[in-house]
Amino acid sequence: MKFLLDNNLPAPLARALNELSLPHDHTVIHLTDKFAQNTSDITWIQALHQEGGWIVISQDKFNKGDLEKRAIREAGLLVFCLAKHWNRETYWNKAHNLVRWWPKIIQQSELISGSGAFRVPWKYGHAPKFEPVQF
């Protein structure tokens, strides 16, 4: 599987997740590894759609307008949006918790055929669950 962390998450985190995912034949890159820093969301969403097989991890709420939401729906991407609480956390706390969630994100990605969107809550708990998101 191919995962892309968007500009709202640090590039070093994508590299760390990539190293952790290599033994499982997964690739994780940061948006800036593939696109210019200032690439619009609609542009990179459409490009990933054309390539196919991408899963997006984002801290963005994709609430800049209907065009962005429509682009995500039409692209058929699988998207994991980090819940609002993630914005308030430090770099290291965010890294720790995303690594903790990572096996569940991979597992959920393997179960989904086609598009979908899920919110990743901050709290992991003993029975972590994703929340469906409508675009």
Side-chain angles (χ1 to χ4, degrees), residues 77-90:
L77 295 173
L78 180 55
V79 180
F80 290 89
C81 299
L82 305 182
K84 189 176 183 179
H85 185 96
W86 290 77
N87 291 328
R88 297 190 297 261
E89 293 298 329
T90 66

Side-chain angles (χ1 to χ4, degrees), residues 25-130:
D25 295 323
H26 303 307
T27 302
V28 183
I29 66 168
H30 191 263
L31 188 135
T32 56
D33 294 331
K34 192 167 184 60
F35 303 99
Q37 175 86 25
N38 63 347
T39 303
S40 74
D41 287 346
I42 291 173
T43 301
W44 65 258
I45 289 167
Q46 290 172 341
L48 295 183
H49 165 68
Q50 289 174 356
E51 286 184 28
W54 284 98
I55 300 160
V56 176
I57 312 297
S58 179
Q59 200 168 312
D60 194 341
K61 303 303 174 248
F62 296 105
N63 58 4
K64 296 178 190 114
D66 289 336
L67 286 177
E68 189 177 66
K69 291 177 185 175
R70 191 169 117 210
I72 292 171
R73 277 194 310 269
E74 291 176 357
L77 295 173
L78 180 55
V79 180
F80 290 89
C81 299
L82 305 182
K84 189 176 183 179
H85 185 96
W86 290 77
N87 291 328
R88 297 190 297 261
E89 293 298 329
T90 66
Y91 173 88
W92 288 110
N93 285 344
K94 196 178 296 185
H96 172 265
N97 213 36
L98 189 54
V99 168
R100 191 171 189 199
W101 272 100
W102 198 245
K104 291 288 184 186
I105 290 171
I106 290 172
Q107 181 182 35
Q108 184 74 5
S109 300
E110 290 170 340
L111 294 173
I112 302 296
S113 176
S115 64
F118 299 93
R119 183 167 292 110
V120 182
W122 175 256
K123 187 175 179 177
Y124 188 79
H126 72 281
K129 294 183 180 172
F130 298 105

